[in-house]
Structures are given as structure tokens and as C-alpha cells.
Amino acid sequence: MRSNPALSLDLLRTSPAGAIECFYRKHFLWYLPLVLPLYRVGRDENNEIVLDDPTVSARHALLTPFLQELLVEDLESKNGVRYRGTRIPRAKLSVGESVQVGLFTLRFVAPNPQRAGGEKSAAAESPTVPCLVALPEGKRLPLIKRVTRLAKEGEAVPAFIRDAGRVLLLVPPQTPMTVNDQPIEGVVLLREGDRLLWNGVQLLFTFFRPSS
């Protein structure tokens, strides 16, 4: 998910036209107030909402909030957009309804200022940055992006998703990945000290405090 920091928060935050809850295989990932006039959805990092999974096309769908409704349009994606189980070219969602984009579910919900504010506060109060440390070399990879992949785009590889003060690990099906020696598939909430193994590379998940 990407946002434009140059836009005025005073203007954007006055009346969000609802919000999106994103799920991956029924696992909750994040909550996003809809404050922009439209959102491009896809695997490419230039989209406002980035869904990093091979089941999602680079430019998959377009979301347009309008009052208490959300207009969803399929951008001729490979796997399409599904609404109530049926592939559709476009749909109009009311609050509580959802669409399927690849293995992700996007649910349109009413805005919740307290929820959005709480997530902002959690991120702002966190004095540390999550990172991966390659063992035994000790080389550090800060997880500073919203989504960080372990290989080039288009490959079925693990991805790390920052959500406020926490980090979620998303492992595509049939991807050899272990956390603390346990095979993992789907979405896992990482905790400091977790040891990951992928393609013969051992990684330690931890936090560090940037120097001032």
C-alpha cells in the first residue's frame, strides 16, 4: 500500500469515504481509510495499494470511493476480480461487502477514526526499525518499505509487510520457508528473535534503533 505524503492531511482526513480491510487467505493484514479519489490495486509498486502475490496482476483493479459506496473495476487482470463468487468487470460495493483479488479479500467498511488514529500512534511511538540480519555474517536489511520482497518481482517468494508497529510474513503456497524450524505457509506475525530459513539462508528478525 502506498500513499502520497505531499497531499494535505487537513483536506484528506475531513471525510473519508469508508475504509478497506485487507485479508490474505482469511488472515487480516491491514486497515486503510479511503481518503484519495481513487486507488490503483496491483502487484506493481507504483499502485496506491500494493498486493504482493503472484495471483495479482501488476495493474489489477481500480477502486473509486463515492459517498457510502465503493466502485471496483477490473483492469483486464489475469485472474480477474470476484464479487459474490462471480468474476465481474465492475461492481458497486456497499458497506460490509467485499471483492476477491487473487488470494486477497478487500472488504469495504465504514470509516473508524479511532482505529486509524490508533494505528498511526503505534507507528509513531515505535522508536525502532524492524530488520532482518543474515547469519552468521551479520549483514542487516532494514524493513523500511511497506512491502519488502526477498527476490525480484514476479517470483513466488516471501514478503514482509509492515503494519503500524508490527511485521507480517507472507509466504506463498509451496514456498520452502521455516520460522523457528517450523514450515510456514500463509501469513505469520513475526516476533523479535524469530529465526527464518529460506533457500539455505538463515535470517534473524529483530529491531534496531537508528542513530540520530
Side-chain angles (χ1 to χ4, degrees), residues 24-25 27-29 168-171 184-189:
Y24 179 81
R25 289 175 171 263
H27 296 277
F28 175 75
L29 293 181
L168 303 173
L169 170 62
L170 189 156
V171 182
I184 295 298
E185 182 178 302
V187 179
V188 176
L189 174 63

Side-chain angles (χ1 to χ4, degrees), residues 3-166:
S3 59
N4 185 353
L7 295 174
S8 168
L9 290 180
D10 290 339
L11 175 62
L12 293 177
R13 295 296 178 184
T14 52
S15 55
I20 286 289
E21 291 180 338
C22 179
F23 299 81
Y24 179 81
R25 289 175 171 263
K26 299 184 179 180
H27 296 277
F28 175 75
L29 293 181
W30 44 257
Y31 168 90
L32 171 68
L34 297 175
V35 294
L36 300 179
L38 60 84
Y39 291 82
R40 297 165 296 177
V41 180
R43 201 176 62 249
D44 189 275
E45 291 191 357
N46 290 320
N47 294 295
E48 283 72 37
I49 297 178
V50 178
L51 301 180
D52 195 13
D53 188 85
T55 61
V56 179
S57 298
R59 288 170 291 278
H60 199 112
L62 183 68
L63 308 183
T64 306
F66 183 73
L67 299 178
Q68 298 302 311
E69 297 178 327
L70 179 66
L71 307 180
V72 182
E73 181 180 358
D74 182 15
L75 299 179
E76 299 183 354
S77 61
K78 179 179 179 180
N79 292 322
V81 174
R82 293 189 174 274
Y83 172 63
R84 298 181 178 177
T86 302
R87 181 166 180 169
I88 47 87
R90 63 187 58 83
K92 182 185 295 184
L93 304 188
S94 299
V95 170
E97 292 189 308
S98 61
V99 291
Q100 194 83 18
V101 177
L103 293 177
F104 295 86
T105 298
L106 302 180
R107 179 187 296 164
F108 181 51
V109 298
N112 187 336
Q114 292 183 344
R115 184 176 184 183
E119 291 185 356
K120 285 178 60 181
S121 299
E125 292 172 2
S126 176
T128 57
V129 175
C131 70
L132 299 174
V133 178
L135 302 176
E137 304 88 21
K139 184 177 180 180
R140 188 167 62 193
L141 171 64
L143 302 175
I144 57 177
K145 295 183 178 180
R146 174 71 180 180
V147 178
T148 301
R149 295 169 57 89
L150 290 182
K152 295 180 180 179
E153 184 174 343
E155 300 178 10
V157 298
F160 298 86
I161 304 170
R162 289 195 63 175
D163 178 40
R166 62 182 186 170

Side-chain angles (χ1 to χ4, degrees), residues 171-191:
V171 182
Q174 300 180 346
T175 300
M177 182 90 183
T178 65
V179 175
N180 300 326
D181 299 323
Q182 298 297 317
I184 295 298
E185 182 178 302
V187 179
V188 176
L189 174 63
L190 292 180
R191 293 176 173 80

